[in-house]
Amino acid sequence: MAAHSPKIILGSKSAARQAILKEMGFEYTIITADIDEKAIRRDKPEDLVMALAEAKAEAILSKLATLDVINCKTDSEPTLLITADQVVVHEGLVREKPCCEEEARHFIKGEHLGREF
């Protein structure tokens, strides 16, 4: 009996992550976490990305558990949940996603608009 590949859930809307899975020939389902990423803070960037990825995974697992209850699903198939995050660090500061085009231009120029990071 051949082993079945696990179901893959990508917990990201990232086009780059989707492209990687497609390029590798994997089929996957996208489920987003919809968490408030700005509410999660850590001192070190590497700790921050891990905390964000873990929070995304917890939120998605909670969604999946709710869906299983709603759909009265009791059997489970092997599933691989992939979550990740990345941050930009400039001069020791984590740069959040720019809120507007103007802020993005200032980031590229290495300027700061007074927003705390």
Side-chain angles (χ1 to χ4, degrees):
M1 180 188 303
H4 293 282
S5 296
K7 175 181 177 180
I8 297 175
I9 297 173
L10 177 60
S12 173
K13 292 181 271 189
S14 164
R17 292 184 185 99
Q18 292 175 39
I20 290 168
L21 290 176
K22 283 181 185 173
E23 187 176 302
M24 295 177 72
F26 291 112
E27 292 182 17
Y28 57 91
T29 302
I30 296 172
I31 300 178
T32 57
D34 305 321
I35 62 169
D36 179 6
E37 294 185 21
K38 294 188 186 300
I40 300 171
R41 300 290 92 194
R42 298 292 183 275
D43 291 334
K44 296 180 183 178
E46 57 271 24
D47 294 341
L48 176 58
V49 294
M50 289 299 296
L52 289 167
E54 289 170 358
K56 289 177 182 182
E58 289 172 11
I60 292 168
L61 288 171
S62 178
K63 275 186 182 181
L64 291 172
T66 301
L67 289 173
D68 285 349
V69 168
I70 290 170
N71 296 324
C72 299
K73 187 175 178 183
T74 56
D75 62 330
S76 61
E77 60 183 304
T79 304
L80 173 64
L81 172 58
I82 301 171
T83 61
D85 211 299
Q86 62 191 32
V87 295
V88 173
V89 179
H90 178 70
E91 295 180 358
L93 296 174
V94 172
R95 295 288 186 155
E96 301 291 347
K97 291 178 186 173
C99 65
C100 61
E101 187 176 324
E102 179 187 6
E103 189 173 59
R105 290 184 191 283
H106 284 280
F107 283 0
I108 291 168
K109 292 178 182 177
E111 299 169 355
H112 187 285
L113 286 179
R115 209 171 134 210
E116 292 300 319
F117 303 103

